[in-house]
Amino acid sequence: MKKMMFLMTLILLIGLSVTAQDKKTKPNNKFFISIAAGPAIPVSDFASKNFNNESAGLAKIGFTTNLQFGYQLHKYFGITSTILYSNYKVDVSQFAQYGVEADHWQHYGIMAGPMFTWPINEKVRTDFKVLGGIINVNSPLVKFTDGPNLMNEEWANSFAMQLGADLRYNFTPNLNLVTNVDYNFMKPKFDGGIYVGDGTPTSAFEQKISAINASIGLGVKF
């Protein structure tokens, strides 16, 4: 996570440096890049704490960060891509009396797709995007404090979809404040690893993961 944040920040700083050094930059530059972070809010089955719900993810509000870049093909249309990372703690408080503990769900990946832009005025614009891509998802390690694992940690790839909206406020022709609200959905399939009394793992299972991410950050155009 620290390495990813460092890389995102480095890329943004390089973009800022290039912009500052280019005195001939025009206000309508079409390339853009931004970095943002904020809360990741699980919804639907992913947020369910109902033990009787086989699809319950027990996920709590976590955090997300994203690096977004793209190209404005037209005043009202462009293409964009997002590299993202999200992390959610797991709520096992209802099993605390049994000494059960868990770490987190987490995932990272890249998505790309079209972006539809609506300029509100000279300083403010909104972007609406529909993205698809590949996400690598990590299931949590669930175990007894002083005993065996109930579920092993596991990684799985999944196709993901994102529906989102961005609001950009231009401080200068090249520097802007960016806010994102995105809905992400994916359904990774894990090979198994939920253990029963005799230590035998269960068969493969799927987990519906849906979340609303809200983030804020800085962007540059060049």
Side-chain angles (χ1 to χ4, degrees):
M1 175 58 190
K2 291 181 179 179
K3 292 182 179 179
M4 182 175 292
M5 285 297 297
F6 174 77
L7 178 60
M8 289 181 174
T9 303
L10 179 62
I11 293 174
L12 181 61
L13 290 175
I14 291 174
L16 285 169
S17 176
V18 170
T19 299
Q21 294 176 23
D22 187 2
K23 297 181 180 180
K24 296 183 180 180
T25 299
K26 297 181 180 180
N28 63 346
N29 286 336
K30 296 182 178 181
F31 288 100
F32 65 86
I33 184 171
S34 66
I35 183 172
I41 306 168
V43 296
S44 191
D45 287 334
F46 189 45
S48 175
K49 311 300 189 296
N50 183 1
F51 185 68
N52 294 319
N53 179 2
E54 294 182 355
S55 298
L58 308 178
K60 299 195 295 184
I61 294 177
F63 68 90
T64 187
T65 184
N66 67 77
L67 177 68
Q68 182 173 250
F69 48 94
Y71 182 76
Q72 198 77 37
L73 295 167
H74 182 270
K75 181 180 180 180
Y76 299 108
F77 180 77
I79 53 175
T80 185
S81 182
T82 298
I83 299 173
L84 63 84
Y85 172 83
S86 297
N87 183 297
Y88 312 84
K89 291 293 185 181
V90 178
D91 186 355
V92 291
S93 57
Q94 59 184 309
F95 312 114
Q97 60 180 317
Y98 305 110
V100 175
E101 59 183 35
D103 50 13
H104 52 249
W105 290 95
Q106 61 179 336
H107 58 76
Y108 67 87
I110 185 169
M111 292 185 282
M115 173 185 70
F116 306 92
T117 300
W118 183 257
I120 297 176
N121 55 45
E122 291 184 358
K123 287 187 173 293
V124 181
R125 80 175 197 187
T126 56
D127 301 320
F128 302 95
K129 55 198 178 183
V130 181
L131 310 182
I134 298 297
I135 299 293
N136 200 16
V137 184
N138 180 217
S139 64
L141 170 64
V142 184
K143 65 178 184 177
F144 288 109
T145 303
D146 298 313
N149 293 347
L150 294 173
M151 184 169 79
N152 285 342
E153 177 185 16
E154 186 179 347
W155 288 93
N157 290 322
S158 174
F159 176 75
M161 289 290 296
Q162 181 183 95
L163 301 176
D166 302 337
L167 181 68
R168 300 178 184 271
Y169 178 83
N170 296 320
F171 294 119
T172 72
N174 302 108
L175 177 65
N176 51 60
L177 175 71
V178 181
T179 59
N180 317 114
V181 178
D182 303 316
Y183 172 77
N184 296 305
F185 177 80
M186 62 204 75
K187 194 175 180 181
K189 183 176 182 179
F190 298 95
D191 292 334
I194 297 180
Y195 284 77
V196 294
D198 62 356
T200 303
T202 62
S203 59
F205 70 98
E206 292 183 325
Q207 175 64 53
K208 295 178 181 178
I209 296 178
S210 51
I212 297 174
N213 297 343
S215 55
I216 186 169
L218 291 174
V220 294
K221 294 189 293 183
F222 54 95

